[in-house]
Amino acid sequence: LAKTTQPISMDSYEGQEVNITCSHNNIATNDYITWYQQFPSQGPRFIIQGYKTKVTNEVASLFIPADRKSSTLSLPRVSLSDTAVYYCLVGAQTGANNLFFGTGTRLTVIP
Amino acid sequence: DSGVTQTPKHLITATGQRVTLRCSPRSGDLSVYWYQQSLDQGLQFLIQYYNGEERAKGNILERFSAQQFPDLHSELNLSSLELGDSALYFCASSASGHGYEQYFGPGTRLTVT
């Protein structure tokens, strides 16, 4: 199971782009990177998943460099409603080994 | 709405008691996962079932047990409850067994007094 390291917290102003980086130095060849968002007292919500380079959906972008030892979740033009905890998970497609959520990054969006 | 349902929403009980939490996965999902989240703590993975069989085990106490039924709903049984078991318990489901794109339910808040 690849260990991940994320900042504990981040602050951002409304309308700015926010980048949250996750380090996963011992990522394995068949590991994927998945990000979740969690609001207080709610279950986490799947945001985005990727293997390499860049993935974009209607919510966020995920940037993964060639060595895959880190990844960056990019949230464009954040609003107050983006205030949440963001979790980075790394694991393989086979087996239930990517189930370590850790403590995540608490993003606070300031008006 | 993730499509995952959990009952009850809230549960208040006394130490030493036993409770059962119920989860219905999204239609078609074969995997069910249980997590515990204490106040200001990260999500702790407890156990996973895939199509009725136990697939993976995390930090689940011996006082806790779970099962997945033929209709794919799952129950988490917590016994000999202690004050420290007070937490939010989440159930999640996914289509496959590898746990990538999980869909979480609204959770059951358990308070042990």
Side-chain angles (χ1 to χ4, degrees), chain A residues 1-40:
Chain A
L1 177 63
K3 180 178 165 55
T4 61
T5 304
Q6 302 176 236
I8 294 175
S9 64
M10 294 179 69
D11 292 340
S12 176
Y13 287 102
E14 259 191 306
Q16 290 191 326
E17 177 184 74
V18 170
N19 296 309
I20 305 174
T21 297
C22 179
S23 296
H24 27 81
N25 290 321
N26 58 341
I27 189 169
T29 303
N30 56 348
D31 282 348
Y32 275 66
I33 300 153
T34 311
W35 285 80
Y36 285 82
Q37 173 193 57
Q38 185 181 26
F39 298 113

PDB file of all heavy atoms in Angstrom, chain A residues 1-40:
ATOM      1  N   LEU A   1       0.855  -1.188   0.000  1.00  0.00           N
ATOM      2  CA  LEU A   1       0.000   0.000   0.000  1.00  0.00           C
ATOM      3  C   LEU A   1       0.888   1.234   0.000  1.00  0.00           C
ATOM      4  O   LEU A   1       1.714   1.414   0.876  1.00  0.00           O
ATOM      5  CB  LEU A   1      -0.875   0.000   1.242  1.00  0.00           C
ATOM      6  CG  LEU A   1      -1.779   1.211   1.436  1.00  0.00           C
ATOM      7  CD1 LEU A   1      -2.768   1.290   0.301  1.00  0.00           C
ATOM      8  CD2 LEU A   1      -2.502   1.138   2.752  1.00  0.00           C
ATOM      9  N   ALA A   2       0.738   2.049  -1.014  1.00  0.00           N
ATOM     10  CA  ALA A   2       1.556   3.244  -1.129  1.00  0.00           C
ATOM     11  C   ALA A   2       1.108   4.287  -0.112  1.00  0.00           C
ATOM     12  O   ALA A   2      -0.061   4.633  -0.042  1.00  0.00           O
ATOM     13  CB  ALA A   2       1.451   3.798  -2.538  1.00  0.00           C
ATOM     14  N   LYS A   3       2.080   4.800   0.664  1.00  0.00           N
ATOM     15  CA  LYS A   3       1.757   5.829   1.654  1.00  0.00           C
ATOM     16  C   LYS A   3       1.674   7.173   0.949  1.00  0.00           C
ATOM     17  O   LYS A   3       2.444   7.449   0.030  1.00  0.00           O
ATOM     18  CB  LYS A   3       2.849   5.847   2.714  1.00  0.00           C
ATOM     19  CG  LYS A   3       2.640   6.863   3.816  1.00  0.00           C
ATOM     20  CD  LYS A   3       3.762   6.763   4.832  1.00  0.00           C
ATOM     21  CE  LYS A   3       3.815   7.963   5.751  1.00  0.00           C
ATOM     22  NZ  LYS A   3       2.565   8.231   6.426  1.00  0.00           N
ATOM     23  N   THR A   4       0.769   7.992   1.403  1.00  0.00           N
ATOM     24  CA  THR A   4       0.616   9.315   0.808  1.00  0.00           C
ATOM     25  C   THR A   4       0.828  10.388   1.857  1.00  0.00           C
ATOM     26  O   THR A   4       0.541  10.179   3.038  1.00  0.00           O
ATOM     27  CB  THR A   4      -0.780   9.485   0.193  1.00  0.00           C
ATOM     28  OG1 THR A   4      -1.766   9.338   1.235  1.00  0.00           O
ATOM     29  CG2 THR A   4      -1.045   8.450  -0.885  1.00  0.00           C
ATOM     30  N   THR A   5       1.316  11.536   1.409  1.00  0.00           N
ATOM     31  CA  THR A   5       1.520  12.686   2.279  1.00  0.00           C
ATOM     32  C   THR A   5       0.870  13.898   1.643  1.00  0.00           C
ATOM     33  O   THR A   5       1.140  14.216   0.482  1.00  0.00           O
ATOM     34  CB  THR A   5       3.018  12.955   2.498  1.00  0.00           C
ATOM     35  OG1 THR A   5       3.641  11.788   3.023  1.00  0.00           O
ATOM     36  CG2 THR A   5       3.207  14.103   3.477  1.00  0.00           C
ATOM     37  N   GLN A   6       0.002  14.551   2.405  1.00  0.00           N
ATOM     38  CA  GLN A   6      -0.687  15.759   1.932  1.00  0.00           C
ATOM     39  C   GLN A   6      -0.538  16.836   2.985  1.00  0.00           C
ATOM     40  O   GLN A   6      -0.358  16.537   4.162  1.00  0.00           O
ATOM     41  CB  GLN A   6      -2.195  15.508   1.799  1.00  0.00           C
ATOM     42  CG  GLN A   6      -2.646  14.424   0.919  1.00  0.00           C
ATOM     43  CD  GLN A   6      -4.156  14.241   0.984  1.00  0.00           C
ATOM     44  OE1 GLN A   6      -4.642  13.156   1.268  1.00  0.00           O
ATOM     45  NE2 GLN A   6      -4.912  15.301   0.696  1.00  0.00           N
ATOM     46  N   PRO A   7      -0.654  18.114   2.564  1.00  0.00           N
ATOM     47  CA  PRO A   7      -0.681  19.168   3.589  1.00  0.00           C
ATOM     48  C   PRO A   7      -1.915  18.992   4.463  1.00  0.00           C
ATOM     49  O   PRO A   7      -2.958  18.548   3.996  1.00  0.00           O
ATOM     50  CB  PRO A   7      -0.751  20.461   2.762  1.00  0.00           C
ATOM     51  CG  PRO A   7      -1.200  20.039   1.409  1.00  0.00           C
ATOM     52  CD  PRO A   7      -0.732  18.646   1.211  1.00  0.00           C
ATOM     53  N   ILE A   8      -1.774  19.343   5.720  1.00  0.00           N
ATOM     54  CA  ILE A   8      -2.892  19.188   6.647  1.00  0.00           C
ATOM     55  C   ILE A   8      -4.010  20.172   6.343  1.00  0.00           C
ATOM     56  O   ILE A   8      -5.191  19.828   6.391  1.00  0.00           O
ATOM     57  CB  ILE A   8      -2.416  19.371   8.096  1.00  0.00           C
ATOM     58  CG1 ILE A   8      -1.474  18.237   8.471  1.00  0.00           C
ATOM     59  CG2 ILE A   8      -3.598  19.422   9.054  1.00  0.00           C
ATOM     60  CD1 ILE A   8      -0.852  18.393   9.826  1.00  0.00           C
ATOM     61  N   SER A   9      -3.645  21.393   5.974  1.00  0.00           N
ATOM     62  CA  SER A   9      -4.668  22.400   5.702  1.00  0.00           C
ATOM     63  C   SER A   9      -4.171  23.412   4.689  1.00  0.00           C
ATOM     64  O   SER A   9      -2.960  23.584   4.496  1.00  0.00           O
ATOM     65  CB  SER A   9      -5.078  23.108   6.993  1.00  0.00           C
ATOM     66  OG  SER A   9      -3.984  23.825   7.524  1.00  0.00           O
ATOM     67  N   MET A  10      -5.133  24.069   4.038  1.00  0.00           N
ATOM     68  CA  MET A  10      -4.844  25.137   3.089  1.00  0.00           C
ATOM     69  C   MET A  10      -5.979  26.148   3.155  1.00  0.00           C
ATOM     70  O   MET A  10      -7.134  25.762   3.362  1.00  0.00           O
ATOM     71  CB  MET A  10      -4.760  24.593   1.651  1.00  0.00           C
ATOM     72  CG  MET A  10      -3.619  23.671   1.371  1.00  0.00           C
ATOM     73  SD  MET A  10      -3.662  23.085  -0.335  1.00  0.00           S
ATOM     74  CE  MET A  10      -3.285  24.577  -1.228  1.00  0.00           C
ATOM     75  N   ASP A  11      -5.628  27.418   2.924  1.00  0.00           N
ATOM     76  CA  ASP A  11      -6.633  28.459   2.818  1.00  0.00           C
ATOM     77  C   ASP A  11      -6.554  29.068   1.422  1.00  0.00           C
ATOM     78  O   ASP A  11      -5.461  29.168   0.844  1.00  0.00           O
ATOM     79  CB  ASP A  11      -6.398  29.568   3.850  1.00  0.00           C
ATOM     80  CG  ASP A  11      -6.626  29.101   5.271  1.00  0.00           C
ATOM     81  OD1 ASP A  11      -7.320  28.079   5.462  1.00  0.00           O
ATOM     82  OD2 ASP A  11      -6.089  29.730   6.196  1.00  0.00           O
ATOM     83  N   SER A  12      -7.695  29.483   0.889  1.00  0.00           N
ATOM     84  CA  SER A  12      -7.705  30.134  -0.405  1.00  0.00           C
ATOM     85  C   SER A  12      -8.848  31.124  -0.451  1.00  0.00           C
ATOM     86  O   SER A  12      -9.882  30.932   0.195  1.00  0.00           O
ATOM     87  CB  SER A  12      -7.877  29.103  -1.525  1.00  0.00           C
ATOM     88  OG  SER A  12      -7.987  29.741  -2.783  1.00  0.00           O
ATOM     89  N   TYR A  13      -8.694  32.181  -1.275  1.00  0.00           N
ATOM     90  CA  TYR A  13      -9.768  33.126  -1.458  1.00  0.00           C
ATOM     91  C   TYR A  13     -10.697  32.633  -2.561  1.00  0.00           C
ATOM     92  O   TYR A  13     -10.288  31.913  -3.476  1.00  0.00           O
ATOM     93  CB  TYR A  13      -9.237  34.515  -1.797  1.00  0.00           C
ATOM     94  CG  TYR A  13      -8.604  35.202  -0.618  1.00  0.00           C
ATOM     95  CD1 TYR A  13      -7.223  35.268  -0.478  1.00  0.00           C
ATOM     96  CD2 TYR A  13      -9.401  35.782   0.376  1.00  0.00           C
ATOM     97  CE1 TYR A  13      -6.647  35.894   0.615  1.00  0.00           C
ATOM     98  CE2 TYR A  13      -8.827  36.399   1.466  1.00  0.00           C
ATOM     99  CZ  TYR A  13      -7.459  36.451   1.586  1.00  0.00           C
ATOM    100  OH  TYR A  13      -6.893  37.053   2.673  1.00  0.00           O
ATOM    101  N   GLU A  14     -11.927  33.053  -2.455  1.00  0.00           N
ATOM    102  CA  GLU A  14     -12.918  32.716  -3.479  1.00  0.00           C
ATOM    103  C   GLU A  14     -12.434  33.155  -4.849  1.00  0.00           C
ATOM    104  O   GLU A  14     -11.823  34.222  -4.994  1.00  0.00           O
ATOM    105  CB  GLU A  14     -14.226  33.472  -3.178  1.00  0.00           C
ATOM    106  CG  GLU A  14     -15.279  32.651  -2.516  1.00  0.00           C
ATOM    107  CD  GLU A  14     -16.620  33.350  -2.486  1.00  0.00           C
ATOM    108  OE1 GLU A  14     -16.680  34.500  -2.001  1.00  0.00           O
ATOM    109  OE2 GLU A  14     -17.597  32.756  -2.943  1.00  0.00           O
ATOM    110  N   GLY A  15     -12.706  32.338  -5.856  1.00  0.00           N
ATOM    111  CA  GLY A  15     -12.359  32.703  -7.215  1.00  0.00           C
ATOM    112  C   GLY A  15     -10.964  32.310  -7.643  1.00  0.00           C
ATOM    113  O   GLY A  15     -10.647  32.343  -8.840  1.00  0.00           O
ATOM    114  N   GLN A  16     -10.141  31.884  -6.681  1.00  0.00           N
ATOM    115  CA  GLN A  16      -8.779  31.492  -7.026  1.00  0.00           C
ATOM    116  C   GLN A  16      -8.721  30.022  -7.417  1.00  0.00           C
ATOM    117  O   GLN A  16      -9.620  29.240  -7.106  1.00  0.00           O
ATOM    118  CB  GLN A  16      -7.841  31.743  -5.839  1.00  0.00           C
ATOM    119  CG  GLN A  16      -7.593  33.204  -5.558  1.00  0.00           C
ATOM    120  CD  GLN A  16      -6.458  33.386  -4.556  1.00  0.00           C
ATOM    121  OE1 GLN A  16      -6.271  32.586  -3.656  1.00  0.00           O
ATOM    122  NE2 GLN A  16      -5.693  34.457  -4.734  1.00  0.00           N
ATOM    123  N   GLU A  17      -7.662  29.670  -8.100  1.00  0.00           N
ATOM    124  CA  GLU A  17      -7.397  28.269  -8.406  1.00  0.00           C
ATOM    125  C   GLU A  17      -6.619  27.680  -7.235  1.00  0.00           C
ATOM    126  O   GLU A  17      -5.694  28.300  -6.719  1.00  0.00           O
ATOM    127  CB  GLU A  17      -6.573  28.150  -9.688  1.00  0.00           C
ATOM    128  CG  GLU A  17      -6.202  26.703 -10.035  1.00  0.00           C
ATOM    129  CD  GLU A  17      -5.301  26.617 -11.249  1.00  0.00           C
ATOM    130  OE1 GLU A  17      -4.093  26.958 -11.114  1.00  0.00           O
ATOM    131  OE2 GLU A  17      -5.773  26.218 -12.319  1.00  0.00           O
ATOM    132  N   VAL A  18      -7.013  26.488  -6.827  1.00  0.00           N
ATOM    133  CA  VAL A  18      -6.350  25.832  -5.700  1.00  0.00           C
ATOM    134  C   VAL A  18      -5.691  24.547  -6.189  1.00  0.00           C
ATOM    135  O   VAL A  18      -6.316  23.757  -6.902  1.00  0.00           O
ATOM    136  CB  VAL A  18      -7.359  25.506  -4.585  1.00  0.00           C
ATOM    137  CG1 VAL A  18      -6.719  24.615  -3.531  1.00  0.00           C
ATOM    138  CG2 VAL A  18      -7.876  26.784  -3.942  1.00  0.00           C
ATOM    139  N   ASN A  19      -4.457  24.381  -5.796  1.00  0.00           N
ATOM    140  CA  ASN A  19      -3.719  23.165  -6.126  1.00  0.00           C
ATOM    141  C   ASN A  19      -3.321  22.443  -4.849  1.00  0.00           C
ATOM    142  O   ASN A  19      -2.643  23.017  -4.000  1.00  0.00           O
ATOM    143  CB  ASN A  19      -2.468  23.493  -6.946  1.00  0.00           C
ATOM    144  CG  ASN A  19      -2.810  24.091  -8.287  1.00  0.00           C
ATOM    145  OD1 ASN A  19      -3.622  23.547  -9.024  1.00  0.00           O
ATOM    146  ND2 ASN A  19      -2.198  25.222  -8.602  1.00  0.00           N
ATOM    147  N   ILE A  20      -3.735  21.216  -4.715  1.00  0.00           N
ATOM    148  CA  ILE A  20      -3.383  20.399  -3.545  1.00  0.00           C
ATOM    149  C   ILE A  20      -2.495  19.258  -4.037  1.00  0.00           C
ATOM    150  O   ILE A  20      -2.897  18.480  -4.896  1.00  0.00           O
ATOM    151  CB  ILE A  20      -4.637  19.812  -2.860  1.00  0.00           C
ATOM    152  CG1 ILE A  20      -5.621  20.925  -2.501  1.00  0.00           C
ATOM    153  CG2 ILE A  20      -4.225  19.045  -1.605  1.00  0.00           C
ATOM    154  CD1 ILE A  20      -6.950  20.406  -1.950  1.00  0.00           C
ATOM    155  N   THR A  21      -1.305  19.204  -3.473  1.00  0.00           N
ATOM    156  CA  THR A  21      -0.343  18.199  -3.917  1.00  0.00           C
ATOM    157  C   THR A  21      -0.284  17.040  -2.937  1.00  0.00           C
ATOM    158  O   THR A  21      -0.334  17.216  -1.726  1.00  0.00           O
ATOM    159  CB  THR A  21       1.053  18.818  -4.076  1.00  0.00           C
ATOM    160  OG1 THR A  21       0.980  19.813  -5.099  1.00  0.00           O
ATOM    161  CG2 THR A  21       2.062  17.761  -4.489  1.00  0.00           C
ATOM    162  N   CYS A  22      -0.161  15.865  -3.487  1.00  0.00           N
ATOM    163  CA  CYS A  22      -0.054  14.628  -2.704  1.00  0.00           C
ATOM    164  C   CYS A  22       1.242  13.924  -3.115  1.00  0.00           C
ATOM    165  O   CYS A  22       1.500  13.758  -4.305  1.00  0.00           O
ATOM    166  CB  CYS A  22      -1.269  13.748  -3.001  1.00  0.00           C
ATOM    167  SG  CYS A  22      -1.293  12.162  -2.141  1.00  0.00           S
ATOM    168  N   SER A  23       2.050  13.565  -2.128  1.00  0.00           N
ATOM    169  CA  SER A  23       3.285  12.826  -2.412  1.00  0.00           C
ATOM    170  C   SER A  23       3.060  11.339  -2.182  1.00  0.00           C
ATOM    171  O   SER A  23       2.473  10.947  -1.168  1.00  0.00           O
ATOM    172  CB  SER A  23       4.403  13.309  -1.493  1.00  0.00           C
ATOM    173  OG  SER A  23       4.699  14.659  -1.750  1.00  0.00           O
ATOM    174  N   HIS A  24       3.547  10.549  -3.127  1.00  0.00           N
ATOM    175  CA  HIS A  24       3.422   9.089  -3.005  1.00  0.00           C
ATOM    176  C   HIS A  24       4.665   8.481  -3.625  1.00  0.00           C
ATOM    177  O   HIS A  24       4.639   7.935  -4.732  1.00  0.00           O
ATOM    178  CB  HIS A  24       2.135   8.556  -3.649  1.00  0.00           C
ATOM    179  CG  HIS A  24       1.595   9.386  -4.762  1.00  0.00           C
ATOM    180  ND1 HIS A  24       2.075   9.338  -6.052  1.00  0.00           N
ATOM    181  CD2 HIS A  24       0.590  10.302  -4.757  1.00  0.00           C
ATOM    182  CE1 HIS A  24       1.394  10.178  -6.803  1.00  0.00           C
ATOM    183  NE2 HIS A  24       0.485  10.778  -6.062  1.00  0.00           N
ATOM    184  N   ASN A  25       5.774   8.598  -2.900  1.00  0.00           N
ATOM    185  CA  ASN A  25       7.083   8.215  -3.427  1.00  0.00           C
ATOM    186  C   ASN A  25       7.208   6.745  -3.786  1.00  0.00           C
ATOM    187  O   ASN A  25       7.999   6.381  -4.651  1.00  0.00           O
ATOM    188  CB  ASN A  25       8.173   8.600  -2.424  1.00  0.00           C
ATOM    189  CG  ASN A  25       8.354  10.106  -2.348  1.00  0.00           C
ATOM    190  OD1 ASN A  25       8.304  10.796  -3.353  1.00  0.00           O
ATOM    191  ND2 ASN A  25       8.548  10.610  -1.142  1.00  0.00           N
ATOM    192  N   ASN A  26       6.467   5.892  -3.073  1.00  0.00           N
ATOM    193  CA  ASN A  26       6.619   4.452  -3.350  1.00  0.00           C
ATOM    194  C   ASN A  26       5.431   3.882  -4.127  1.00  0.00           C
ATOM    195  O   ASN A  26       5.062   2.732  -3.949  1.00  0.00           O
ATOM    196  CB  ASN A  26       6.823   3.673  -2.042  1.00  0.00           C
ATOM    197  CG  ASN A  26       5.669   3.888  -1.075  1.00  0.00           C
ATOM    198  OD1 ASN A  26       4.918   4.837  -1.208  1.00  0.00           O
ATOM    199  ND2 ASN A  26       5.544   3.022  -0.090  1.00  0.00           N
ATOM    200  N   ILE A  27       4.908   4.708  -5.011  1.00  0.00           N
ATOM    201  CA  ILE A  27       3.795   4.251  -5.837  1.00  0.00           C
ATOM    202  C   ILE A  27       4.258   3.097  -6.727  1.00  0.00           C
ATOM    203  O   ILE A  27       5.373   3.107  -7.262  1.00  0.00           O
ATOM    204  CB  ILE A  27       3.234   5.421  -6.681  1.00  0.00           C
ATOM    205  CG1 ILE A  27       1.942   5.014  -7.381  1.00  0.00           C
ATOM    206  CG2 ILE A  27       4.273   5.949  -7.662  1.00  0.00           C
ATOM    207  CD1 ILE A  27       1.203   6.182  -8.008  1.00  0.00           C
ATOM    208  N   ALA A  28       3.399   2.094  -6.867  1.00  0.00           N
ATOM    209  CA  ALA A  28       3.740   0.931  -7.674  1.00  0.00           C
ATOM    210  C   ALA A  28       3.269   1.117  -9.112  1.00  0.00           C
ATOM    211  O   ALA A  28       2.431   1.968  -9.406  1.00  0.00           O
ATOM    212  CB  ALA A  28       3.110  -0.324  -7.076  1.00  0.00           C
ATOM    213  N   THR A  29       3.811   0.291  -9.987  1.00  0.00           N
ATOM    214  CA  THR A  29       3.537   0.425 -11.414  1.00  0.00           C
ATOM    215  C   THR A  29       2.051   0.371 -11.746  1.00  0.00           C
ATOM    216  O   THR A  29       1.574   1.105 -12.609  1.00  0.00           O
ATOM    217  CB  THR A  29       4.261  -0.701 -12.190  1.00  0.00           C
ATOM    218  OG1 THR A  29       5.646  -0.633 -11.900  1.00  0.00           O
ATOM    219  CG2 THR A  29       4.036  -0.560 -13.693  1.00  0.00           C
ATOM    220  N   ASN A  30       1.320  -0.487 -11.053  1.00  0.00           N
ATOM    221  CA  ASN A  30      -0.099  -0.633 -11.385  1.00  0.00           C
ATOM    222  C   ASN A  30      -1.026   0.150 -10.450  1.00  0.00           C
ATOM    223  O   ASN A  30      -2.226  -0.087 -10.422  1.00  0.00           O
ATOM    224  CB  ASN A  30      -0.492  -2.114 -11.412  1.00  0.00           C
ATOM    225  CG  ASN A  30      -0.164  -2.801 -10.096  1.00  0.00           C
ATOM    226  OD1 ASN A  30       0.539  -2.234  -9.259  1.00  0.00           O
ATOM    227  ND2 ASN A  30      -0.667  -3.991  -9.889  1.00  0.00           N
ATOM    228  N   ASP A  31      -0.467   1.081  -9.702  1.00  0.00           N
ATOM    229  CA  ASP A  31      -1.284   1.910  -8.800  1.00  0.00           C
ATOM    230  C   ASP A  31      -1.957   3.043  -9.557  1.00  0.00           C
ATOM    231  O   ASP A  31      -1.342   3.679 -10.417  1.00  0.00           O
ATOM    232  CB  ASP A  31      -0.426   2.520  -7.691  1.00  0.00           C
ATOM    233  CG  ASP A  31      -0.101   1.539  -6.582  1.00  0.00           C
ATOM    234  OD1 ASP A  31      -0.726   0.458  -6.538  1.00  0.00           O
ATOM    235  OD2 ASP A  31       0.761   1.862  -5.747  1.00  0.00           O
ATOM    236  N   TYR A  32      -3.184   3.321  -9.190  1.00  0.00           N
ATOM    237  CA  TYR A  32      -3.911   4.490  -9.670  1.00  0.00           C
ATOM    238  C   TYR A  32      -4.001   5.514  -8.527  1.00  0.00           C
ATOM    239  O   TYR A  32      -3.798   5.188  -7.364  1.00  0.00           O
ATOM    240  CB  TYR A  32      -5.321   4.099 -10.119  1.00  0.00           C
ATOM    241  CG  TYR A  32      -5.382   3.595 -11.539  1.00  0.00           C
ATOM    242  CD1 TYR A  32      -4.770   2.405 -11.894  1.00  0.00           C
ATOM    243  CD2 TYR A  32      -6.055   4.321 -12.515  1.00  0.00           C
ATOM    244  CE1 TYR A  32      -4.817   1.946 -13.187  1.00  0.00           C
ATOM    245  CE2 TYR A  32      -6.118   3.868 -13.813  1.00  0.00           C
ATOM    246  CZ  TYR A  32      -5.493   2.673 -14.143  1.00  0.00           C
ATOM    247  OH  TYR A  32      -5.542   2.217 -15.430  1.00  0.00           O
ATOM    248  N   ILE A  33      -4.295   6.746  -8.882  1.00  0.00           N
ATOM    249  CA  ILE A  33      -4.414   7.834  -7.904  1.00  0.00           C
ATOM    250  C   ILE A  33      -5.855   8.337  -7.930  1.00  0.00           C
ATOM    251  O   ILE A  33      -6.392   8.645  -9.002  1.00  0.00           O
ATOM    252  CB  ILE A  33      -3.449   8.976  -8.248  1.00  0.00           C
ATOM    253  CG1 ILE A  33      -1.999   8.458  -8.243  1.00  0.00           C
ATOM    254  CG2 ILE A  33      -3.609  10.131  -7.257  1.00  0.00           C
ATOM    255  CD1 ILE A  33      -1.075   9.242  -9.138  1.00  0.00           C
ATOM    256  N   THR A  34      -6.453   8.377  -6.754  1.00  0.00           N
ATOM    257  CA  THR A  34      -7.857   8.763  -6.663  1.00  0.00           C
ATOM    258  C   THR A  34      -8.016   9.854  -5.608  1.00  0.00           C
ATOM    259  O   THR A  34      -7.373   9.800  -4.566  1.00  0.00           O
ATOM    260  CB  THR A  34      -8.711   7.540  -6.253  1.00  0.00           C
ATOM    261  OG1 THR A  34      -8.387   6.416  -7.076  1.00  0.00           O
ATOM    262  CG2 THR A  34     -10.192   7.847  -6.386  1.00  0.00           C
ATOM    263  N   TRP A  35      -8.861  10.825  -5.889  1.00  0.00           N
ATOM    264  CA  TRP A  35      -9.135  11.911  -4.946  1.00  0.00           C
ATOM    265  C   TRP A  35     -10.616  11.917  -4.571  1.00  0.00           C
ATOM    266  O   TRP A  35     -11.484  11.715  -5.416  1.00  0.00           O
ATOM    267  CB  TRP A  35      -8.771  13.266  -5.552  1.00  0.00           C
ATOM    268  CG  TRP A  35      -7.294  13.517  -5.611  1.00  0.00           C
ATOM    269  CD1 TRP A  35      -6.413  13.042  -6.548  1.00  0.00           C
ATOM    270  CD2 TRP A  35      -6.519  14.320  -4.710  1.00  0.00           C
ATOM    271  NE1 TRP A  35      -5.136  13.492  -6.276  1.00  0.00           N
ATOM    272  CE2 TRP A  35      -5.178  14.272  -5.149  1.00  0.00           C
ATOM    273  CE3 TRP A  35      -6.824  15.067  -3.563  1.00  0.00           C
ATOM    274  CZ2 TRP A  35      -4.144  14.951  -4.496  1.00  0.00           C
ATOM    275  CZ3 TRP A  35      -5.801  15.751  -2.922  1.00  0.00           C
ATOM    276  CH2 TRP A  35      -4.475  15.678  -3.385  1.00  0.00           C
ATOM    277  N   TYR A  36     -10.843  12.171  -3.276  1.00  0.00           N
ATOM    278  CA  TYR A  36     -12.197  12.282  -2.752  1.00  0.00           C
ATOM    279  C   TYR A  36     -12.342  13.614  -2.022  1.00  0.00           C
ATOM    280  O   TYR A  36     -11.377  14.175  -1.523  1.00  0.00           O
ATOM    281  CB  TYR A  36     -12.498  11.160  -1.754  1.00  0.00           C
ATOM    282  CG  TYR A  36     -12.743   9.805  -2.366  1.00  0.00           C
ATOM    283  CD1 TYR A  36     -11.698   8.978  -2.728  1.00  0.00           C
ATOM    284  CD2 TYR A  36     -14.046   9.347  -2.558  1.00  0.00           C
ATOM    285  CE1 TYR A  36     -11.922   7.735  -3.286  1.00  0.00           C
ATOM    286  CE2 TYR A  36     -14.286   8.094  -3.106  1.00  0.00           C
ATOM    287  CZ  TYR A  36     -13.217   7.301  -3.466  1.00  0.00           C
ATOM    288  OH  TYR A  36     -13.454   6.065  -4.015  1.00  0.00           O
ATOM    289  N   GLN A  37     -13.588  14.078  -1.929  1.00  0.00           N
ATOM    290  CA  GLN A  37     -13.931  15.298  -1.210  1.00  0.00           C
ATOM    291  C   GLN A  37     -14.926  14.928  -0.112  1.00  0.00           C
ATOM    292  O   GLN A  37     -15.840  14.128  -0.360  1.00  0.00           O
ATOM    293  CB  GLN A  37     -14.575  16.282  -2.182  1.00  0.00           C
ATOM    294  CG  GLN A  37     -15.142  17.543  -1.571  1.00  0.00           C
ATOM    295  CD  GLN A  37     -16.031  18.273  -2.590  1.00  0.00           C
ATOM    296  OE1 GLN A  37     -16.989  17.708  -3.111  1.00  0.00           O
ATOM    297  NE2 GLN A  37     -15.698  19.518  -2.878  1.00  0.00           N
ATOM    298  N   GLN A  38     -14.737  15.494   1.082  1.00  0.00           N
ATOM    299  CA  GLN A  38     -15.678  15.216   2.154  1.00  0.00           C
ATOM    300  C   GLN A  38     -16.094  16.498   2.865  1.00  0.00           C
ATOM    301  O   GLN A  38     -15.251  17.255   3.350  1.00  0.00           O
ATOM    302  CB  GLN A  38     -15.104  14.235   3.174  1.00  0.00           C
ATOM    303  CG  GLN A  38     -16.120  13.839   4.245  1.00  0.00           C
ATOM    304  CD  GLN A  38     -15.578  12.889   5.295  1.00  0.00           C
ATOM    305  OE1 GLN A  38     -14.392  12.852   5.568  1.00  0.00           O
ATOM    306  NE2 GLN A  38     -16.467  12.105   5.900  1.00  0.00           N
ATOM    307  N   PHE A  39     -17.414  16.714   2.935  1.00  0.00           N
ATOM    308  CA  PHE A  39     -17.976  17.809   3.712  1.00  0.00           C
ATOM    309  C   PHE A  39     -18.270  17.301   5.112  1.00  0.00           C
ATOM    310  O   PHE A  39     -18.454  16.086   5.311  1.00  0.00           O
ATOM    311  CB  PHE A  39     -19.252  18.337   3.050  1.00  0.00           C
ATOM    312  CG  PHE A  39     -19.029  18.890   1.679  1.00  0.00           C
ATOM    313  CD1 PHE A  39     -19.562  18.263   0.563  1.00  0.00           C
ATOM    314  CD2 PHE A  39     -18.275  20.048   1.495  1.00  0.00           C
ATOM    315  CE1 PHE A  39     -19.355  18.765  -0.710  1.00  0.00           C
ATOM    316  CE2 PHE A  39     -18.058  20.555   0.228  1.00  0.00           C
ATOM    317  CZ  PHE A  39     -18.593  19.909  -0.880  1.00  0.00           C
ATOM    318  N   PRO A  40     -18.349  18.204   6.096  1.00  0.00           N
ATOM    319  CA  PRO A  40     -18.602  17.771   7.479  1.00  0.00           C
ATOM    320  C   PRO A  40     -19.858  16.919   7.593  1.00  0.00           C
ATOM    321  O   PRO A  40     -20.888  17.228   7.008  1.00  0.00           O
ATOM    322  CB  PRO A  40     -18.752  19.097   8.240  1.00  0.00           C
ATOM    323  CG  PRO A  40     -17.968  20.070   7.424  1.00  0.00           C
ATOM    324  CD  PRO A  40     -18.136  19.653   6.001  1.00  0.00           C
TER     325      PRO A  40
END
